[in-house]
Amino acid sequence: MEIARVSNHSGTAGTMRGFNLFGVPVRLHFTFVLLVIFLVVTDLGSGHTSSSYALFLVGLFASVLLHEMGHAFVGRRFGVRTTEIIMFPIGGLSRMERVLRPSEELSIAVAGPLVNILLSAGIFLYMFYMHLSVPIKMADLIQPTDANALARLAYGNLVLAAFNLLPAFPMDGGRILRALLSLIRPEDQATRTAAWMGRMLAISMALYGLLAPQPVLVFFAFFVYLGAAQESAAAMGRTLTHGIPVRAAMITQFHTLDHGNTIRDAANLLLSTSQEDFPVMHGEQVVGLLGRNLLLKSLAAEGPDAYVAGVMDRDFLLLEPGDDLSMVLPSMAHAGRCALVMDDEKLLGLLTTDNLSEFLLLRRFGMEPVV
Ligand code: ZN
């Protein structure tokens, strides 16, 4: 399978653009931004010096990022690109461009927590070397002070490693568990077990958080539950599409635009059909893609008489009719995506997020694909 070109999509819903780290875009989920604001505001209220506390938070943030870079680095060694890293309050989430084989998943999952263990060991070694005292008692660590900032960072990394190694989705430990289980069981059964562990973990965390009472645990539990549910939905999608070629799900009846058409022509087509993405042709050859959002943006910026050839997307997702649907699911995971299905130079069909979810729904109700 070859995913030739991935268009410059707008990223996962509810996230904002952060920055690039070694070529991987890092996006911030809105709940993560809320957490940062919360931490800053509560810190303003407290009396202690802010500088060491701020350094500690920045250090912890950097540790989480390095953890994700660990996943990305090992992924790259298997030839898997990381398409984005999303920062959630419970940590980062790396999106890989394709579905991983169990052996790949095992190594990639282990790499993250390993980074935290190494960071922690490095900080402890540094403290030892500099003859700094390392607090051992919990009571000396709980309250942030200038003196214990470094030790808190070292212990923080151990906590990150331990939390991520919990054998439940969406933690790395859940991925490790799934990879190991799938050696002895069918893969979707392994996935269901890891997802079930995730939901159980979330429920226990929430109950403990309510009884303790530790509201922050309830907050974390919410994300663990969401992540576990998302993983099992993704696994269900993979089971329903595994071994089915792209041509079985693609749209075969569609309209195209000519490169000489104007945005007005495109807008009329948008109105008179239910189609939202239009391949732009030059004779028999596809030269671009014009989607609904781009069309509206161009209409506002350039007016109705501009040519579609001047505004169309030249950088679109290409699929071959024989590609395995389960392998292209990750690249179709964003709402409003459209891929062109082409056999050599010939355009055969379109695959959109909408018709893909239609296809999944029909499969769930027992429809056999026409291959
Ligand atoms: Zn991780």
Side-chain angles (χ1 to χ4, degrees):
M1 186 205 61
E2 182 188 288
I3 295 179
R5 284 171 292 179
V6 177
S7 74
N8 45 341
H9 63 77
S10 56
T12 304
T15 64
M16 53 177 270
R17 180 130 190 76
F19 46 90
N20 267 38
L21 197 64
F22 299 109
V24 182
V26 178
R27 304 186 65 87
L28 312 175
H29 195 254
F30 79 96
T31 50
F32 177 80
V33 180
L34 288 181
L35 179 76
V36 172
I37 295 171
F38 172 77
L39 286 175
V40 170
V41 170
T42 48
D43 185 48
L44 289 180
S46 68
H48 66 88
T49 58
S50 302
S51 60
S52 67
Y53 185 58
L55 269 178
F56 164 73
L57 286 183
V58 169
L60 209 55
F61 180 67
S63 305
V64 172
L65 276 181
L66 285 171
H67 169 118
E68 297 308 320
M69 289 320 291
H71 292 311
F73 179 73
V74 176
R76 196 175 291 176
R77 301 206 57 161
F78 287 114
V80 189
R81 217 164 51 87
T82 304
T83 50
E84 62 181 2
I85 293 171
I86 306 170
M87 298 301 293
F88 285 99
I90 54 168
L93 181 102
S94 294
R95 275 192 200 285
M96 302 278 164
E97 69 176 339
R98 63 168 170 84
V99 181
L100 303 171
R101 278 185 281 276
S103 60
E104 296 171 338
E105 185 165 47
L106 185 64
S107 310
I108 293 174
V110 167
L114 189 63
V115 167
N116 295 120
I117 291 170
L118 291 177
L119 280 174
S120 165
I123 299 171
F124 279 132
L125 269 178
Y126 171 80
M127 293 180 76
F128 180 73
Y129 184 72
M130 299 299 283
H131 303 290
L132 299 168
S133 73
V134 178
I136 300 169
K137 275 186 264 160
M138 192 71 174
D140 298 331
L141 284 162
I142 231 122
Q143 200 61 37
T145 62
D146 292 353
N148 72 8
L150 215 48
R152 277 167 63 86
L153 193 57
Y155 283 112
N157 266 288
L158 280 186
V159 172
L160 277 178
F163 181 65
N164 274 291
L165 283 172
L166 287 173
F169 271 157
M171 261 66 73
D172 294 323
R175 287 168 214 288
I176 296 169
L177 175 71
R178 169 169 69 181
L180 292 178
L181 277 180
S182 61
L183 294 176
I184 50 168
R185 289 194 194 156
E187 209 175 319
D188 56 296
Q189 200 185 331
T191 307
R192 274 202 295 274
T193 306
W196 181 83
M197 295 281 285
R199 283 195 292 272
M200 288 306 115
L201 174 72
I203 291 168
S204 332
M205 265 173 86
L207 278 179
Y208 182 80
L210 286 172
L211 295 173
Q214 291 275 358
V216 73
L217 272 184
V218 183
F219 182 70
F220 280 179
F222 173 72
F223 284 97
V224 172
Y225 194 94
L226 228 56
Q230 220 168 51
E231 280 291 342
S232 63
M236 171 77 95
R238 279 199 294 275
T239 312
L240 291 174
T241 52
H242 184 71
I244 297 172
V246 161
R247 66 170 166 272
M250 70 186 182
I251 300 171
T252 51
Q253 307 211 336
F254 54 89
H255 299 272
T256 59
L257 289 165
D258 185 77
H259 74 296
N261 283 145
T262 60
I263 293 178
R264 188 193 311 276
D265 300 324
N268 283 332
L269 210 50
L270 181 72
L271 208 55
S272 60
T273 66
S274 60
Q275 199 176 324
E276 296 200 331
D277 302 275
F278 303 96
V280 181
M281 312 293 289
H282 187 156
E284 288 292 292
Q285 210 189 344
V286 183
V287 289
L289 182 68
L290 187 67
R292 180 180 173 275
N293 287 347
L294 185 57
L295 197 165
L296 294 176
K297 213 156 73 182
S298 315
L299 184 62
E302 316 264 331
D305 295 318
Y307 290 107
V308 290
V311 300
M312 68 191 181
D313 197 354
R314 292 166 192 275
D315 203 19
F316 43 83
L317 185 60
L318 280 180
L319 299 175
E320 286 175 30
D323 285 345
D324 192 314
L325 256 189
S326 67
M327 298 296 273
V328 307
L329 280 183
S331 53
M332 296 298 296
H334 300 288
R337 297 219 67 189
C338 174
L340 301 186
V341 185
M342 295 182 58
D343 200 4
D344 283 332
E345 296 284 276
K346 196 171 157 28
L347 178 63
L348 298 180
L350 309 179
L351 189 70
T352 67
T353 317
D354 278 351
N355 88 290
L356 193 55
S357 43
E358 215 73 273
F359 179 82
L360 288 175
L361 206 60
L362 291 171
R363 288 278 291 138
R364 272 182 82 162
F365 285 100
M367 197 181 97
E368 287 301 316
V370 185
V371 180

